[in-house]
Amino acid sequence: MSYDDQNVFAKILRGEIPCDKVHEDDWALAFKDISPQAPIHILVIPKGPYVSMDDFSANASEAEVAGFFRAVGRVARDAGAAPDGYRFLANHGDDAHQEVPHFHVHIFAGRDLGGMIRRPKN
Ligand code: 5GP
């Protein structure tokens, strides 16, 4: 899948649509999810044009990977989520219901987050 530079996170990176920013550095931008599923729900995205975790892990440089994951940890720490715990999650592709085709990590915290994934109904 090639990168679509009209996706909503590409527009946020370019400043074409607003976001509630919590962190920015050379490698990553972090902002609050527009539809939070926990008291703390932050999205962290790399600055580069990567479709998903699959693309990022295969094609990003060592510096991009290191810079990005350092930022994820820092954002969770700065949000105060480290002492009580948090979950970070990245959806890749259709089975994971990825909606936005720019790689992003969700950070959830601020309540008991329950089991790891929902079990199938049958
Ligand atoms: P995915 O299912 O792709 O892992 O998650 C996409 C996330 O992006 C969803 O949690 C959704 O609420 C969030 N989202 C979609 N559009 C926007 C937006 O314009 N601004 C912000 N802040 N979050 C968005």
PDB file of all heavy atoms in Angstrom, residues 19-39:
ATOM      1  N   CYS A  19      -4.814  20.070  16.025  1.00  0.00           N
ATOM      2  CA  CYS A  19      -4.807  18.937  16.952  1.00  0.00           C
ATOM      3  C   CYS A  19      -4.489  19.483  18.330  1.00  0.00           C
ATOM      4  O   CYS A  19      -3.985  20.598  18.463  1.00  0.00           O
ATOM      5  CB  CYS A  19      -3.783  17.880  16.534  1.00  0.00           C
ATOM      6  SG  CYS A  19      -2.067  18.400  16.761  1.00  0.00           S
ATOM      7  N   ASP A  20      -4.799  18.693  19.330  1.00  0.00           N
ATOM      8  CA  ASP A  20      -4.492  19.045  20.721  1.00  0.00           C
ATOM      9  C   ASP A  20      -3.119  18.435  21.039  1.00  0.00           C
ATOM     10  O   ASP A  20      -3.008  17.330  21.565  1.00  0.00           O
ATOM     11  CB  ASP A  20      -5.604  18.502  21.624  1.00  0.00           C
ATOM     12  CG  ASP A  20      -5.566  19.101  23.019  1.00  0.00           C
ATOM     13  OD1 ASP A  20      -4.550  19.737  23.368  1.00  0.00           O
ATOM     14  OD2 ASP A  20      -6.554  18.916  23.753  1.00  0.00           O
ATOM     15  N   LYS A  21      -2.071  19.185  20.694  1.00  0.00           N
ATOM     16  CA  LYS A  21      -0.697  18.660  20.739  1.00  0.00           C
ATOM     17  C   LYS A  21      -0.194  18.522  22.169  1.00  0.00           C
ATOM     18  O   LYS A  21      -0.381  19.426  22.974  1.00  0.00           O
ATOM     19  CB  LYS A  21       0.215  19.597  19.947  1.00  0.00           C
ATOM     20  CG  LYS A  21       1.663  19.180  19.891  1.00  0.00           C
ATOM     21  CD  LYS A  21       2.409  19.880  18.785  1.00  0.00           C
ATOM     22  CE  LYS A  21       2.822  21.283  19.146  1.00  0.00           C
ATOM     23  NZ  LYS A  21       3.630  21.914  18.081  1.00  0.00           N
ATOM     24  N   VAL A  22       0.466  17.395  22.464  1.00  0.00           N
ATOM     25  CA  VAL A  22       1.085  17.234  23.781  1.00  0.00           C
ATOM     26  C   VAL A  22       2.612  17.128  23.691  1.00  0.00           C
ATOM     27  O   VAL A  22       3.299  17.311  24.694  1.00  0.00           O
ATOM     28  CB  VAL A  22       0.504  16.024  24.559  1.00  0.00           C
ATOM     29  CG1 VAL A  22      -0.979  16.198  24.808  1.00  0.00           C
ATOM     30  CG2 VAL A  22       0.776  14.703  23.855  1.00  0.00           C
ATOM     31  N   HIS A  23       3.143  16.830  22.501  1.00  0.00           N
ATOM     32  CA  HIS A  23       4.602  16.701  22.372  1.00  0.00           C
ATOM     33  C   HIS A  23       4.976  16.775  20.894  1.00  0.00           C
ATOM     34  O   HIS A  23       4.249  16.271  20.038  1.00  0.00           O
ATOM     35  CB  HIS A  23       5.072  15.354  22.943  1.00  0.00           C
ATOM     36  CG  HIS A  23       6.533  15.083  22.699  1.00  0.00           C
ATOM     37  ND1 HIS A  23       7.533  15.646  23.456  1.00  0.00           N
ATOM     38  CD2 HIS A  23       7.163  14.328  21.756  1.00  0.00           C
ATOM     39  CE1 HIS A  23       8.705  15.236  23.008  1.00  0.00           C
ATOM     40  NE2 HIS A  23       8.517  14.439  21.975  1.00  0.00           N
ATOM     41  N   GLU A  24       6.123  17.395  20.636  1.00  0.00           N
ATOM     42  CA  GLU A  24       6.673  17.353  19.273  1.00  0.00           C
ATOM     43  C   GLU A  24       8.185  17.408  19.365  1.00  0.00           C
ATOM     44  O   GLU A  24       8.751  18.157  20.170  1.00  0.00           O
ATOM     45  CB  GLU A  24       6.155  18.541  18.432  1.00  0.00           C
ATOM     46  CG  GLU A  24       6.669  18.488  16.997  1.00  0.00           C
ATOM     47  CD  GLU A  24       5.973  19.471  16.060  1.00  0.00           C
ATOM     48  OE1 GLU A  24       5.307  20.413  16.565  1.00  0.00           O
ATOM     49  OE2 GLU A  24       6.110  19.304  14.843  1.00  0.00           O
ATOM     50  N   ASP A  25       8.842  16.585  18.560  1.00  0.00           N
ATOM     51  CA  ASP A  25      10.304  16.670  18.438  1.00  0.00           C
ATOM     52  C   ASP A  25      10.659  16.343  16.987  1.00  0.00           C
ATOM     53  O   ASP A  25       9.782  16.353  16.111  1.00  0.00           O
ATOM     54  CB  ASP A  25      11.010  15.759  19.464  1.00  0.00           C
ATOM     55  CG  ASP A  25      10.641  14.291  19.309  1.00  0.00           C
ATOM     56  OD1 ASP A  25      10.373  13.850  18.165  1.00  0.00           O
ATOM     57  OD2 ASP A  25      10.618  13.573  20.331  1.00  0.00           O
ATOM     58  N   ASP A  26      11.940  16.068  16.726  1.00  0.00           N
ATOM     59  CA  ASP A  26      12.370  15.842  15.338  1.00  0.00           C
ATOM     60  C   ASP A  26      11.716  14.611  14.720  1.00  0.00           C
ATOM     61  O   ASP A  26      11.616  14.507  13.490  1.00  0.00           O
ATOM     62  CB  ASP A  26      13.884  15.643  15.281  1.00  0.00           C
ATOM     63  CG  ASP A  26      14.639  16.938  15.496  1.00  0.00           C
ATOM     64  OD1 ASP A  26      13.994  18.003  15.478  1.00  0.00           O
ATOM     65  OD2 ASP A  26      15.866  16.878  15.695  1.00  0.00           O
ATOM     66  N   TRP A  27      11.286  13.660  15.572  1.00  0.00           N
ATOM     67  CA  TRP A  27      10.860  12.355  15.051  1.00  0.00           C
ATOM     68  C   TRP A  27       9.379  12.086  15.190  1.00  0.00           C
ATOM     69  O   TRP A  27       8.855  11.196  14.503  1.00  0.00           O
ATOM     70  CB  TRP A  27      11.628  11.235  15.790  1.00  0.00           C
ATOM     71  CG  TRP A  27      13.091  11.455  15.805  1.00  0.00           C
ATOM     72  CD1 TRP A  27      13.875  11.780  16.874  1.00  0.00           C
ATOM     73  CD2 TRP A  27      13.969  11.416  14.669  1.00  0.00           C
ATOM     74  NE1 TRP A  27      15.177  11.938  16.481  1.00  0.00           N
ATOM     75  CE2 TRP A  27      15.259  11.718  15.129  1.00  0.00           C
ATOM     76  CE3 TRP A  27      13.768  11.154  13.309  1.00  0.00           C
ATOM     77  CZ2 TRP A  27      16.365  11.762  14.275  1.00  0.00           C
ATOM     78  CZ3 TRP A  27      14.864  11.203  12.463  1.00  0.00           C
ATOM     79  CH2 TRP A  27      16.135  11.501  12.944  1.00  0.00           C
ATOM     80  N   ALA A  28       8.737  12.789  16.088  1.00  0.00           N
ATOM     81  CA  ALA A  28       7.362  12.407  16.438  1.00  0.00           C
ATOM     82  C   ALA A  28       6.511  13.610  16.796  1.00  0.00           C
ATOM     83  O   ALA A  28       7.007  14.647  17.261  1.00  0.00           O
ATOM     84  CB  ALA A  28       7.390  11.441  17.622  1.00  0.00           C
ATOM     85  N   LEU A  29       5.213  13.433  16.566  1.00  0.00           N
ATOM     86  CA  LEU A  29       4.204  14.385  17.032  1.00  0.00           C
ATOM     87  C   LEU A  29       3.203  13.578  17.844  1.00  0.00           C
ATOM     88  O   LEU A  29       2.804  12.473  17.429  1.00  0.00           O
ATOM     89  CB  LEU A  29       3.501  15.033  15.832  1.00  0.00           C
ATOM     90  CG  LEU A  29       2.338  15.973  16.137  1.00  0.00           C
ATOM     91  CD1 LEU A  29       2.832  17.249  16.826  1.00  0.00           C
ATOM     92  CD2 LEU A  29       1.586  16.339  14.855  1.00  0.00           C
ATOM     93  N   ALA A  30       2.807  14.101  19.007  1.00  0.00           N
ATOM     94  CA  ALA A  30       1.818  13.418  19.854  1.00  0.00           C
ATOM     95  C   ALA A  30       0.678  14.372  20.142  1.00  0.00           C
ATOM     96  O   ALA A  30       0.892  15.561  20.428  1.00  0.00           O
ATOM     97  CB  ALA A  30       2.469  12.949  21.147  1.00  0.00           C
ATOM     98  N   PHE A  31      -0.538  13.844  20.057  1.00  0.00           N
ATOM     99  CA  PHE A  31      -1.722  14.677  20.286  1.00  0.00           C
ATOM    100  C   PHE A  31      -2.834  13.800  20.825  1.00  0.00           C
ATOM    101  O   PHE A  31      -2.825  12.561  20.679  1.00  0.00           O
ATOM    102  CB  PHE A  31      -2.147  15.390  18.990  1.00  0.00           C
ATOM    103  CG  PHE A  31      -2.281  14.499  17.783  1.00  0.00           C
ATOM    104  CD1 PHE A  31      -3.488  13.908  17.455  1.00  0.00           C
ATOM    105  CD2 PHE A  31      -1.167  14.233  16.974  1.00  0.00           C
ATOM    106  CE1 PHE A  31      -3.599  13.082  16.349  1.00  0.00           C
ATOM    107  CE2 PHE A  31      -1.271  13.400  15.856  1.00  0.00           C
ATOM    108  CZ  PHE A  31      -2.498  12.824  15.547  1.00  0.00           C
ATOM    109  N   LYS A  32      -3.837  14.450  21.444  1.00  0.00           N
ATOM    110  CA  LYS A  32      -4.947  13.701  22.046  1.00  0.00           C
ATOM    111  C   LYS A  32      -5.856  13.142  20.968  1.00  0.00           C
ATOM    112  O   LYS A  32      -6.142  13.828  19.969  1.00  0.00           O
ATOM    113  CB  LYS A  32      -5.728  14.608  22.996  1.00  0.00           C
ATOM    114  CG  LYS A  32      -4.902  15.009  24.203  1.00  0.00           C
ATOM    115  CD  LYS A  32      -5.697  15.862  25.168  1.00  0.00           C
ATOM    116  CE  LYS A  32      -4.798  16.268  26.338  1.00  0.00           C
ATOM    117  NZ  LYS A  32      -5.447  17.217  27.240  1.00  0.00           N
ATOM    118  N   ASP A  33      -6.317  11.905  21.191  1.00  0.00           N
ATOM    119  CA  ASP A  33      -7.265  11.293  20.273  1.00  0.00           C
ATOM    120  C   ASP A  33      -8.578  12.080  20.316  1.00  0.00           C
ATOM    121  O   ASP A  33      -9.049  12.481  21.377  1.00  0.00           O
ATOM    122  CB  ASP A  33      -7.509   9.828  20.642  1.00  0.00           C
ATOM    123  CG  ASP A  33      -8.179   9.062  19.511  1.00  0.00           C
ATOM    124  OD1 ASP A  33      -9.385   9.308  19.241  1.00  0.00           O
ATOM    125  OD2 ASP A  33      -7.510   8.220  18.890  1.00  0.00           O
ATOM    126  N   ILE A  34      -9.175  12.285  19.142  1.00  0.00           N
ATOM    127  CA  ILE A  34     -10.406  13.072  19.049  1.00  0.00           C
ATOM    128  C   ILE A  34     -11.594  12.349  19.688  1.00  0.00           C
ATOM    129  O   ILE A  34     -12.584  12.976  20.060  1.00  0.00           O
ATOM    130  CB  ILE A  34     -10.689  13.410  17.560  1.00  0.00           C
ATOM    131  CG1 ILE A  34     -11.563  14.636  17.430  1.00  0.00           C
ATOM    132  CG2 ILE A  34     -11.287  12.222  16.810  1.00  0.00           C
ATOM    133  CD1 ILE A  34     -11.604  15.202  16.012  1.00  0.00           C
ATOM    134  N   SER A  35     -11.489  11.053  19.831  1.00  0.00           N
ATOM    135  CA  SER A  35     -12.573  10.246  20.380  1.00  0.00           C
ATOM    136  C   SER A  35     -12.003   9.302  21.454  1.00  0.00           C
ATOM    137  O   SER A  35     -11.872   8.089  21.246  1.00  0.00           O
ATOM    138  CB  SER A  35     -13.225   9.458  19.238  1.00  0.00           C
ATOM    139  OG  SER A  35     -14.286   8.698  19.699  1.00  0.00           O
ATOM    140  N   PRO A  36     -11.648   9.870  22.624  1.00  0.00           N
ATOM    141  CA  PRO A  36     -10.860   9.109  23.602  1.00  0.00           C
ATOM    142  C   PRO A  36     -11.597   7.894  24.167  1.00  0.00           C
ATOM    143  O   PRO A  36     -12.787   7.959  24.454  1.00  0.00           O
ATOM    144  CB  PRO A  36     -10.571  10.133  24.702  1.00  0.00           C
ATOM    145  CG  PRO A  36     -11.567  11.220  24.521  1.00  0.00           C
ATOM    146  CD  PRO A  36     -11.933  11.237  23.074  1.00  0.00           C
ATOM    147  N   GLN A  37     -10.866   6.813  24.317  1.00  0.00           N
ATOM    148  CA  GLN A  37     -11.421   5.574  24.863  1.00  0.00           C
ATOM    149  C   GLN A  37     -10.912   5.291  26.272  1.00  0.00           C
ATOM    150  O   GLN A  37     -11.149   4.213  26.825  1.00  0.00           O
ATOM    151  CB  GLN A  37     -11.105   4.406  23.923  1.00  0.00           C
ATOM    152  CG  GLN A  37     -11.776   4.577  22.560  1.00  0.00           C
ATOM    153  CD  GLN A  37     -11.532   3.394  21.652  1.00  0.00           C
ATOM    154  OE1 GLN A  37     -11.644   2.258  22.069  1.00  0.00           O
ATOM    155  NE2 GLN A  37     -11.174   3.672  20.410  1.00  0.00           N
ATOM    156  N   ALA A  38     -10.188   6.241  26.845  1.00  0.00           N
ATOM    157  CA  ALA A  38      -9.697   6.154  28.216  1.00  0.00           C
ATOM    158  C   ALA A  38      -9.440   7.593  28.666  1.00  0.00           C
ATOM    159  O   ALA A  38      -9.331   8.495  27.813  1.00  0.00           O
ATOM    160  CB  ALA A  38      -8.408   5.327  28.277  1.00  0.00           C
ATOM    161  N   PRO A  39      -9.336   7.834  29.982  1.00  0.00           N
ATOM    162  CA  PRO A  39      -9.077   9.205  30.441  1.00  0.00           C
ATOM    163  C   PRO A  39      -7.834   9.815  29.788  1.00  0.00           C
ATOM    164  O   PRO A  39      -7.804  11.014  29.498  1.00  0.00           O
ATOM    165  CB  PRO A  39      -8.908   9.032  31.951  1.00  0.00           C
ATOM    166  CG  PRO A  39      -9.741   7.824  32.283  1.00  0.00           C
ATOM    167  CD  PRO A  39      -9.581   6.900  31.099  1.00  0.00           C
TER     168      PRO A  39
END
